[in-house]
RNA sequence: GGGGGCAUAGCUCAGCUGGUUUAGAGCAUCUGCCUUACAAGCAGAGGGUCCGCGGUUCGAACCCGUGUGCCCCCA
């Protein structure tokens, strides 16, 4: 079969993914193996694949594929999140394009559009995950609004309400005037902005002067109910208890004192607007002040609550003006009456909506909350499990972040003024009393006990729906129907899950709440390990964003480089827990790696038809410094190569195991990469490679194929497609790499590995000497070796000959004149060549080396002559230093002899 | 304002229990090679004030203190 010049991934990848699906390799059923369960962090149902998903899901696939090959029953559950606010925003946008406003639709009509949207776009991201090679169990695909899941969410709401954890209350909430909904604290992103500090004077009612207040929000002035100063502030001592007039509205308000006020900020006097600021609201409550709301749900002015002030024409003319326009207008109007003293530039922080980006308003609103202190108090495992590493965080530093948040947790606002989501199961009567129940009928049963005349038509369900995260926190349980059908065999087998892989940015939104749910509803941790990925940034460290246009088109990248190369590129650049700087050159490296593998395959396939037993294998085995080496045949060199690579492979497998257990995926991949590229291709294959059109020994061939297979096995979780392809092209296989079970780790012999390293070192040194003396690669040399252990070199003569392009090797006891001298450890190598030598350059090299060695010797002997070192240091450390010293001395001697030889 | 983290080659990062030479890797750079698997390649090389200062120790990239700069989280 003819293999293409370079590896072409596209067809290969599509072919194998379909093949794996046809063989049903990714589907999992409970059996007597140990489960390895991973639930995907469900992407937004309308989302498309981006770099973050790519990183995240590559990691999950690596872990899952590896577990599958290591005897575990691997189950990776796919699915999507209904993403209440994000999806609703998209649907509203789509309707707007069609000229339909949300307000013109009934709830049912709107939901019909939303489901249409979901059905049309909902599967896209899952299809994209297939392109990436993700080995998800598609039979288990879940959605947070599936009927059973929906029911489970409602059930949990009712349960927590019955337990008094969920309550309804009028509270200050974070209000998104664009999404027109309340948000949780976690959905508010604080941003630093350039704003202005306005100094506004409020005249005293007794005419004795005025008090100046610094504010960043003059548009809320009409809701002011007091001025507050610090009681220790001498400047304002005489003002406390007096009254001032609010500009424009002319309301009379008191000057009060409270320690909360920071005398250093602004003028030291604070205006209190309880309806529009959380802290003001607290102060308002404390001092018995009224809250006057002056903004509507869309952030526009409303005078509705200002009737008592007999608002003027001017005030009424503000009605309907947006808060930011109002700010300018009010500043102009206060300026006109000379009550703006100055305006300063100010760097301030504002909260914005995570989803719509709108500036958040603090707003008094009747919402549903979860009493988190009480909830966590009942489920201490939530905090303890992470502190005691029963749930292990990778990187562990996030444990602190987690526990700090847990210990300072605030109540969770779970209601949203949206339609796309689980509708809150509370039912109201006309007089405002309500019951929480699974259905309208049940609610009626409850309400009827208070008012026997009620009928089903008299009650109405809460219009609002629940925070998306109030459904996603059940994800690891409910994908196995753990809430809707507890005790079912799947749930018993797969839950708790094994590893969760997710972004650091949703540690509070999601991870923390899943842990709570785990302890609250099953009294168990939901997973044992959490691997937190960083954020994917561009090569300059900037966040990827649509505005910057720096987020690459992932599917385009997969088309260009292949999924394997894309996975490689993103994994090689992502040390655990750090942000990853994405650079397309990493994908190029991945593609080149594909090509390297492909060419190694081509080389080995060339040998396939040229196998022969060339020399009898009946040879003596002698135990020498290089391990057990067979002597005196062409094959002896191959025996060394084969033995060395076997041990090297065993060693790397053990290393990789260790790294994978510690979730050091990037390092594991680097290690495998280097094993394949350097040890296998650059060294091993060159060592066993027969001459041009020469046959290869059958045993060597078979060993080489077996090694290549093992390498593919090791690499498969990282680069599933090309490894499966090569596995099948190497020789006809009945089984598939995807589900191959790996063998147990084998021990390795250090002395053989050291011998291999020495050989590499000698070859490199000789090549370096050739290079420095400008010997053409084609120019053959004669090599003379001066050594005490001739046998060691006899065993690898053929490798040496080939690798340094020597035509002969001989052994000598004396120095050989007129040659290039190379010293490695205690051995000397003389390169005899036709070419005229530049002894000056040679001499310089040797002198440089000599200088280095002498300085080194000096530092070691200094250390050893320090009595305190010899007394205090561990004996093995001292011994090591002694060995260093004697090695350095020997080497200096060698170099000095070589120098003499030159002259 | 509170908390956490980071600073090592041009870039991205290893360096785990303080001692494996005078600190490593990948990428990038430079030199030489179209050597019959691979130029998407091969063979080599150069490149470091381990952020500054002070301390502990026989010994510090590593531990402690301090300064500087950057990042993240929370309010």
């Amino acid at each position: 079969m003819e293999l293409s010049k370079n590896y072409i991934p596209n067809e290969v990848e599509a072919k194998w993914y379909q093949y794996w699906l046809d063989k049903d390799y990714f589907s999992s059923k409970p059996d007597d193996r140990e489960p390895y369960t991973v639930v995907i962090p469900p992407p937004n149902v309308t989302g498309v694949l981006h770099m973050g998903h790519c990183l995240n899901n590559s990691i999950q696939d690596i872990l899952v594929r590896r577990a599958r090959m290591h005897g575990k029953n691997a189950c990776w559950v796919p699915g999507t999140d209904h993403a209440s606010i994000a999806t609703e925003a998209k649907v509203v946008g789509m309707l707007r394009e069609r000229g339909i406003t949300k307000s013109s639709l009934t709830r049912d009509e709107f939901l019909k559009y939303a489901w249409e949207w979901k059905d049309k776009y909902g599967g896209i991201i899952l299809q994209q995950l297939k392109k990436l090679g993700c080995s998800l169990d598609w039979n288990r695909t879940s959605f947070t609004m599936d009927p059973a899941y929906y029911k489970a969410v409602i059930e949990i709401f009712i349960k927590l309400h019955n337990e008094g954890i969920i309550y309804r209350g009028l509270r200050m909430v974070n209000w998104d005037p664009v999404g027109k909904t309340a948000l949780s604290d976690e959905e508010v992103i604080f941003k630093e902005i350039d704003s202005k500090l306005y100094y506004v004077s409020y005249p005293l009612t007794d005419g004795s002067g005025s008090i100046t207040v610094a504010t960043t929000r003059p548009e809320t002035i009409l809701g002011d109910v007091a001025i507050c100063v610090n009681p220790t502030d001498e400047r304002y001592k005489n003002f406390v208890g007096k009254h001032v007039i609010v500009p424009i509205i002319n309301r009379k308000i008191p000057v009060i004192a409270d320690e909360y006020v920071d005398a250093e900020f602004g003028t030291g006097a604070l205006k209190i607007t309880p309806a529009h600021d959380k802290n003001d609201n607290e102060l308002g409550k404390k001092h018995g002040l009224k809250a006057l709301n002056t903004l509507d749900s869309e952030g526009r002015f409303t005078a509705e609550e200002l009737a008592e002030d007999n608002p003027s024409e001017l005030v009424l003319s503000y009605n309907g003006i947006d808060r930011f326009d109002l700010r300018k207008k009010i500043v102009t109007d206060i300026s006109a009456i000379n009550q703006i003293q100055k305006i300063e530039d100010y760097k301030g922080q504002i909260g914005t909506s995570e989803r719509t980006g709108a500036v958040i308003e603090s707003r008094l609103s009747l919402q549903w909350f979860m009493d988190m202190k009480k909830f966590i108090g009942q489920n201490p495992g939530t905090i303890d499990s992470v502190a005691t590493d029963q749930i292990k965080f990778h990187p562990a530093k996030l444990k602190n972040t987690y526990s700090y948040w847990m210990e300072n947790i605030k109540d969770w606002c779970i209601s949203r003024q949206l339609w796309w989501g689980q509708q809150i199961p509370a039912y109201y009567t006309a007089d405002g009393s309500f019951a929480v129940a699974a259905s309208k009928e049940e609610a009626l049963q409850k309400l009827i006990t208070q008012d026997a005349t009620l009928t089903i038509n008299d009650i109405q369900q809460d219009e609002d729906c629940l925070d998306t995260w109030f459904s996603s926190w059940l994800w690891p349980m409910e994908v196995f129907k753990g809430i809707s059908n507890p005790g079912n065999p799947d749930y018993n087998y797969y839950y708790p899950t094994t590893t969760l892989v997710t972004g650091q940015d949703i540690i509070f939104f999601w991870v923390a709440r899943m842990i709570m749910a785990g302890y609250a509803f099953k009294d168990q941790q939901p997973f044992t390990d959490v691997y937190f990925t960083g954020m994917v940034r561009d090569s300059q460290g900037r966040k990827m964003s649509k505005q910057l246009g720096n987020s690459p088109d992932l599917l385009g990248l997969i088309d260009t480089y292949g999924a394997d190369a894309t996975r490689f590129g993103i994994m090689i650049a992502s040390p655990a827990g750090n942000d990853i700087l994405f650079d397309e050159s990493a994908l190029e490296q991945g593609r080149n790696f594909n090509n390297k593998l492909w060419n190694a395959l081509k080389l080995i396939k060339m040998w396939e038809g040229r196998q022969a037993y060339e020399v009898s294998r009946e040879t003596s085995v002698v135990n020498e410094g290089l391990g057990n080496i067979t002597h005196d045949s062409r094959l002896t060199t191959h025996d060394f190569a084969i033995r060395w690579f076997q041990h090297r492979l065993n060693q790397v497998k053990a290393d990789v195991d260790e790294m994978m257990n510690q979730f050091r995926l990037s390092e594991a991949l680097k290690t495998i990469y280097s094993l394949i590229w350097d040890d296998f291709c650059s060294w091993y294959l060159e060592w066993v490679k027969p001459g041009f059109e020469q046959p290869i020994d059958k045993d060597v061939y078979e060993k080489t194929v077996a090694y290549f297979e093992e390498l593919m096995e090791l690499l498969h979780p990282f680069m599933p497609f090309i490894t499966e392809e090569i596995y099948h092209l190497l020789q006809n296989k009945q089984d598939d790499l995807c589900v191959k079970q790996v063998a147990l780790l084998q021990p390795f012999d250090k002395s053989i590995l050291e011998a291999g390293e020495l050989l590499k070192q000698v070859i490199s040194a000789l090549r370096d000497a050739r290079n420095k003396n400008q010997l053409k690669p084609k120019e053959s040399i004669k090599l003379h070796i001066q050594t005490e252990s001739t046998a060691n070199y006899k065993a690898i003569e053929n490798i040496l000959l080939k690798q340094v392009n020597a035509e002969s090797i001989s052994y000598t006891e004396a120095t050989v004149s007129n040659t290039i001298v190379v010293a490695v450890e205690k051995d000397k190598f003389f390169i005899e060549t036709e070419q005229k030598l530049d002894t000056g350059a040679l001499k310089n090299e040797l002198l440089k080396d000599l200088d280095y060695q002498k300085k080194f010797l000096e530092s070691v002997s200094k250390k050893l002559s320090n009595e305190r070192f010899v007394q205090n240091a561990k004996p093995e450390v001292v011994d090591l230093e002694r060995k260093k010293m004697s090695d350095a001395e020997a080497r200096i001697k060698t170099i000095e002899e070589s120098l003499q030889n030159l002259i």
Side-chain angles (χ1 to χ4, degrees):
Chain A
M1 184 188 52
E2 189 69 30
L3 295 176
S4 61
K5 184 171 184 305
N6 288 332
Y7 175 65
I8 306 161
N10 303 45
E11 279 175 35
V12 171
E13 292 181 354
K15 172 184 78 181
W16 284 115
Y17 200 86
Q18 191 54 50
Y19 177 87
W20 294 326
L21 284 184
D22 292 344
K23 291 263 186 169
D24 215 17
Y25 283 153
F26 304 153
S27 79
S28 167
K29 290 188 181 61
D31 59 23
D32 47 18
R33 287 176 297 169
E34 188 187 331
Y36 188 93
T37 315
V38 177
V39 292
I40 200 170
N44 290 359
V45 67
T46 59
V48 290
L49 203 62
H50 59 61
M51 291 312 292
H53 295 126
C54 180
L55 170 64
N56 202 281
N57 289 294
S58 295
I59 293 170
Q60 290 172 73
D61 196 43
I62 289 162
L63 296 173
V64 167
R65 283 183 185 269
R66 194 173 159 84
R68 192 179 286 122
M69 294 173 81
H70 278 78
K72 307 273 172 61
N73 185 348
C75 179
W76 184 15
V77 182
T80 48
D81 191 299
H82 68 280
S84 183
I85 186 164
T87 305
E88 180 149 331
K90 276 188 190 171
V91 175
V92 168
M94 175 269 290
L95 289 172
R96 197 185 305 125
E97 272 174 32
R98 293 204 222 158
I100 306 170
T101 59
K102 184 187 163 192
S103 54
S104 72
L105 298 173
T106 64
R107 185 187 194 102
D108 285 345
E109 284 166 347
F110 178 83
L111 286 178
K112 204 173 148 240
Y113 282 118
W115 279 105
E116 264 174 32
W117 178 274
K118 185 256 168 191
D119 291 338
K120 191 165 170 195
Y121 299 104
I124 292 179
I125 196 158
L126 299 180
Q127 292 309 312
Q128 291 175 330
L129 288 174
K130 292 182 180 174
K131 279 218 127 177
L132 194 59
C134 295
S135 59
L136 288 146
D137 182 354
W138 297 106
N139 304 324
R140 295 181 182 273
T141 306
S142 300
F143 177 50
T144 52
M145 286 240 280
D146 284 339
Y149 203 117
Y150 194 113
K151 246 186 74 195
V153 172
I154 298 303
E155 194 184 315
I156 290 297
F157 182 97
I158 295 169
K159 174 180 154 68
L160 292 176
H161 180 260
N162 291 343
E163 290 170 7
I165 302 281
I166 286 179
Y167 65 91
R168 187 166 186 249
L170 184 67
R171 296 275 185 287
M172 273 318 246
V173 296
N174 306 297
W175 185 262
D176 177 344
V178 171
K180 282 191 269 176
T181 177
L183 299 177
S184 66
D185 292 342
E186 287 67 39
E187 286 163 294
V188 178
I189 311 289
F190 282 90
K191 283 185 182 160
E192 186 152 290
I193 48 136
D194 292 317
S195 73
K196 305 249 187 255
L197 201 53
Y198 302 87
Y199 288 74
V200 182
S201 61
Y202 292 61
L204 284 150
T205 48
D206 61 8
S208 63
S210 68
I211 193 163
T212 301
V213 167
T215 179
T216 56
R217 301 209 56 198
E219 71 275 18
T220 64
I221 276 176
L222 302 194
D224 286 355
V225 294
I227 300 291
C228 190
V229 296
N230 193 292
T232 62
D233 196 332
E234 292 296 330
R235 294 174 293 177
Y236 298 113
K237 238 181 180 148
N238 298 328
F239 291 80
V240 177
K242 293 187 175 180
H243 287 79
V244 295
I245 304 287
V246 180
I248 310 284
I249 188 102
N250 297 324
R251 181 184 307 125
K252 189 180 147 193
I253 61 169
V255 179
I256 59 172
D258 195 289
E259 268 141 20
Y260 166 78
V261 176
D262 176 8
E264 302 294 309
F265 183 82
T267 62
L270 179 71
K271 74 185 199 64
I272 306 294
T273 323
H276 297 291
D277 184 278
K278 249 181 211 171
N279 298 314
D280 288 12
N281 193 262
E282 292 300 314
L283 277 176
K285 271 192 232 159
K286 189 168 158 191
H287 294 273
L289 300 165
K290 203 170 168 184
L292 294 173
N293 186 16
T294 60
L295 292 173
D296 70 8
S297 66
E298 292 179 60
R300 295 174 308 201
F301 183 81
T302 167
E304 256 176 63
E305 295 188 12
L306 305 182
E308 279 182 27
D309 295 300
N310 289 320
S312 62
E313 286 294 316
L314 178 62
V315 170
L316 291 174
S317 76
Y318 295 154
N319 265 326
I321 297 180
D322 177 78
R323 52 196 167 143
F324 298 114
D325 297 331
L326 182 63
R327 181 179 300 174
K328 287 181 204 150
K329 183 124 186 40
I330 284 196
V331 169
T332 311
D333 293 344
I334 301 179
S335 276
I337 51 171
N338 288 320
Q339 280 178 238
I340 298 268
Q341 298 206 326
K342 60 173 172 175
I343 302 173
E344 280 178 356
D345 287 330
Y346 177 72
K347 273 211 188 306
Q349 292 241 311
I350 49 155
T352 60
S353 162
E354 192 217 5
R355 282 296 152 196
T356 68
V359 174
I360 293 299
E361 285 294 336
S362 285
R363 191 165 200 258
L364 263 182
S365 179
L366 190 57
Q367 302 284 347
W368 291 90
F369 295 90
M370 249 182 91
D371 183 338
M372 299 311 281
K373 285 237 150 67
K374 186 171 172 188
F375 186 55
I376 289 171
Q378 289 174 4
N379 300 289
T382 302
I383 292 177
D384 300 344
S385 56
V386 174
T388 61
D389 285 333
Q390 198 182 340
I391 298 176
K392 286 188 279 297
F393 279 8
H394 310 274
K397 64 181 176 189
L398 287 170
K399 279 165 69 174
N400 287 334
T401 314
Y402 177 86
S403 62
Y404 184 83
W405 183 79
M406 276 292 178
E407 280 153 21
N408 295 283
I409 198 157
K410 307 266 168 25
D411 283 3
W412 176 12
C413 175
I414 52 172
S415 47
R416 297 291 177 274
Q417 285 61 58
L418 300 166
W419 283 340
W420 179 246
Q422 286 89 5
Q423 192 173 359
I424 291 173
Y427 298 83
Y428 303 88
T429 62
D431 69 2
S433 59
F434 66 86
V436 167
S439 69
K440 206 171 189 179
E441 289 71 22
E442 271 181 46
L444 180 65
Q445 290 308 310
K446 286 188 178 176
L447 288 166
I448 222 158
T449 59
Q450 294 157 36
D451 178 356
T453 66
L454 282 176
T455 70
I456 197 99
N457 294 324
D458 297 327
I459 61 173
Q460 255 188 333
Q461 187 172 1
D462 197 312
E463 281 290 302
D464 294 345
C465 75
L466 289 160
D467 181 6
T468 294
W469 301 102
F470 193 86
S471 58
S472 352
W473 73 329
L474 305 177
W475 186 250
M477 314 179 108
E478 187 52 25
V479 294
F480 299 112
K481 306 276 183 284
I483 304 289
S484 55
N485 179 20
N488 76 72
D490 274 6
Y491 189 49
N492 288 342
Y493 180 73
Y494 292 111
Y495 191 88
T497 68
T498 316
T499 305
L500 177 79
V501 181
T502 192
Q504 286 174 26
D505 50 337
I506 54 175
I507 180 170
F508 307 134
F509 276 123
W510 195 45
V511 180
R513 288 171 184 157
M514 280 191 287
I515 296 174
M516 294 174 195
Y519 283 97
F521 311 132
K522 189 99 177 16
D523 198 21
Q524 221 175 354
Q525 85 272 13
F527 26 68
T528 20
D529 290 276
V530 185
Y531 181 105
F532 287 103
T533 63
M535 190 183 293
V536 184
R537 297 167 178 279
D538 71 8
S539 56
Q540 292 156 54
R542 299 174 304 181
K543 282 185 186 180
M544 293 201 165
S545 72
K546 275 182 190 157
Q547 285 99 328
L548 281 172
N550 60 351
S551 24
D553 164 23
L554 199 52
L555 293 176
L557 289 176
I558 293 178
D559 276 345
T560 311
Y561 296 98
D564 285 330
T566 305
R567 290 165 64 121
F568 177 94
I570 200 152
M571 288 311 301
I572 203 82
S574 72
N578 284 8
D579 282 356
I580 100 154
L581 300 193
F582 175 79
D583 193 336
E584 212 169 308
S585 72
L587 271 63
E588 230 170 276
Q589 196 188 343
R591 181 197 58 185
N592 296 353
F593 186 35
N594 271 340
N595 210 42
K596 189 71 185 177
L597 294 169
W598 189 247
N599 278 293
L601 172 73
K602 271 162 62 182
L603 177 65
I604 292 169
K605 291 309 276 185
M606 275 173 52
W607 298 343
E608 192 177 23
R610 291 194 214 139
Q611 302 169 55
Y613 284 120
E614 232 190 50
V615 179
S616 158
R617 307 285 301 177
E618 307 291 322
T619 43
S620 59
V621 176
V622 183
N623 194 335
E624 293 277 1
L626 293 174
N628 294 330
I629 301 295
T630 55
H631 272 226
D632 281 337
S633 86
R634 236 185 81 80
L635 288 169
T636 56
T637 50
H638 296 149
D639 280 354
F640 176 78
I642 282 169
R643 189 188 302 270
W644 169 75
F645 193 76
Q646 181 69 68
H647 287 265
R648 179 76 188 121
L649 186 58
N650 293 345
Q651 181 188 37
V652 170
K653 279 183 177 174
D655 288 350
V656 167
D657 247 31
E658 180 79 19
M659 290 175 203
M660 292 301 291
N661 291 340
Q662 295 173 36
F663 291 89
R664 289 153 64 189
L665 272 61
S666 178
E667 271 180 84
L669 178 56
K670 274 179 192 158
T671 305
I672 298 169
Y673 173 79
S674 158
L675 172 71
I676 292 176
W677 199 302
D678 302 328
D679 290 317
F680 186 66
C681 293
S682 297
W683 296 114
Y684 173 81
L685 287 180
E686 294 298 334
W687 290 354
V688 299
K689 192 186 204 171
F692 182 49
E693 292 194 337
Q694 295 297 303
I696 186 161
D697 179 80
K698 200 168 189 309
D699 288 348
V700 175
Y701 176 79
E702 278 164 10
K703 271 287 178 197
T704 304
V705 168
Y707 289 157
F708 205 0
E709 280 179 6
E710 285 188 66
L711 292 171
M712 291 305 94
E713 191 178 294
L714 196 55
L715 182 62
H716 178 78
F718 295 88
M719 301 173 75
F721 295 110
I722 189 170
T723 48
E724 186 80 85
E725 174 77 356
I726 289 178
Y727 185 73
H728 286 270
L729 287 176
L730 264 176
Q731 53 181 322
N732 268 330
K733 283 286 183 182
Q734 298 309 308
D735 64 339
D736 300 303
L737 201 48
C738 180
V739 288
K740 193 167 186 232
Q741 296 302 295
V742 306
L744 291 176
L745 291 179
Q746 298 295 317
F748 54 90
D749 181 339
K750 273 213 175 115
S751 68
I752 294 165
L753 293 169
E754 279 163 16
E757 287 313 302
L758 179 64
L759 175 57
K760 289 181 190 175
Q761 212 183 321
V762 169
I763 293 168
S764 290
L766 291 172
R767 282 171 172 172
D768 184 30
R770 289 185 59 118
N771 245 359
K772 290 218 168 98
N773 287 282
Q774 292 172 333
L775 294 185
K776 292 260 181 296
K778 280 184 180 167
E779 192 170 336
S780 180
I781 56 158
K782 289 188 175 118
L783 187 62
H784 307 276
I785 305 176
Q786 184 183 13
T787 177
E788 285 170 11
S789 44
T790 313
N792 286 359
Y793 288 100
K794 288 241 179 234
I796 53 173
E797 266 182 16
N798 283 317
I799 292 178
L800 261 182
L801 277 172
K802 238 187 333 193
Q803 295 269 280
V804 303
N805 192 19
E807 56 186 42
S808 68
I809 291 177
S810 67
Y811 298 87
T812 173
E813 283 179 11
T815 53
V816 184
S817 56
N818 242 334
T819 55
I820 304 164
V821 189
V822 178
V824 177
E825 307 263 294
K826 290 172 190 167
D827 300 334
K828 274 193 275 183
F829 301 82
F830 304 95
I831 300 175
E832 185 186 337
T833 166
E834 310 275 288
Q835 196 173 305
K836 205 167 168 289
L837 296 175
D838 176 2
T839 50
L842 269 178
K843 207 170 150 187
N844 276 340
E845 279 294 317
L846 286 169
L847 283 171
K848 212 171 126 191
D849 196 10
L850 185 66
D851 188 49
Y852 177 94
Q853 294 297 336
K854 279 191 168 162
K855 278 189 184 153
F856 174 61
L857 180 64
E858 204 182 314
S859 83
V860 176
S861 22
K862 203 174 144 195
K863 210 175 198 180
L864 280 167
S865 59
N866 180 341
E867 273 176 39
R868 297 214 280 175
F869 168 71
V870 181
Q871 277 167 20
N872 293 324
K874 278 180 273 180
E876 57 266 37
V877 174
V878 179
D879 284 348
L880 193 67
E881 292 300 316
R882 293 216 169 94
K883 185 175 180 301
K884 283 184 202 167
M885 186 158 89
S886 70
D887 285 355
E889 279 166 351
R891 183 134 172 89
I892 288 169
K893 192 165 158 258
T894 309
I895 297 168
E896 279 170 343
E897 282 171 14
S898 307
L899 275 168
Q900 276 172 10
N901 183 46
L902 268 179
I903 298 159

